[in-house]
Amino acid sequence: MARTLGVQGEVTSPTFNLMNIYEGFCPIVHFDLYRLTTEEELEDIGFYEYTDFPEGIVFIEWAEKFPDALPENYVIIKIERIKDAKNMRKIHFDCVGEEHEDFLNELEEFVHSGD
């Protein structure tokens, strides 16, 4: 996804950093909340500064650990390995709230336009 959004160079999961920022066509902030245990820690890492009024795209791994801290509207991206298919993934998109429904409809039309 980062490559599609114009990011050059290495892209890694921020498991130990907790957050990485990349520059592409727009700023991309990538959080990994796996190591956090309390919502107070979100404040310590500046989570709300990036999610309340995003200037670009924010990706959050392990967001389900803190459902009450998530914005009112967001897109869920679930990446699933395809059984018995090496290096293939199925990507599911869903939205919470109404703000991104048009985006998902456009994405669905784009994906299925090649059929």
Side-chain angles (χ1 to χ4, degrees):
M1 288 184 203
R3 295 281 177 264
T4 301
L5 294 168
V7 174
Q8 303 291 316
E10 186 177 19
V11 175
T12 60
S13 179
T15 302
F16 295 103
N17 298 352
L18 304 177
M19 178 185 71
N20 288 338
I21 300 175
Y22 301 101
E23 290 298 326
F25 300 124
C26 65
I28 300 167
V29 180
H30 179 187
F31 286 99
D32 185 332
L33 306 183
Y34 179 75
R35 294 178 53 224
L36 301 184
T37 56
T38 67
E39 281 193 38
E40 289 76 28
E41 292 172 295
L42 295 174
E43 187 74 43
D44 294 341
I45 64 170
F47 180 82
Y48 299 106
E49 293 172 33
Y50 293 98
T51 59
D52 287 348
F53 303 102
E55 297 270 336
I57 298 173
V58 179
F59 289 98
I60 306 169
E61 292 184 67
W62 296 93
E64 65 274 11
K65 289 183 71 173
F66 305 102
D68 293 337
L70 298 177
E72 186 175 322
N73 295 279
Y74 58 93
V75 175
I76 298 170
I77 304 170
K78 180 180 177 188
I79 303 171
E80 175 184 353
R81 290 184 184 203
I82 298 176
K83 188 176 180 177
D84 300 327
K86 188 176 184 177
N87 295 325
M88 292 186 71
R89 306 289 187 268
K90 186 174 186 177
I91 302 175
H92 303 269
F93 293 87
D94 198 7
C95 63
V96 173
E98 298 177 4
E99 185 174 312
H100 303 294
E101 286 180 3
D102 288 342
F103 164 75
L104 287 185
N105 290 334
E106 287 179 33
L107 180 62
E108 185 174 7
E109 286 178 28
F110 175 77
V111 169
H112 293 292
S113 66
D115 289 345

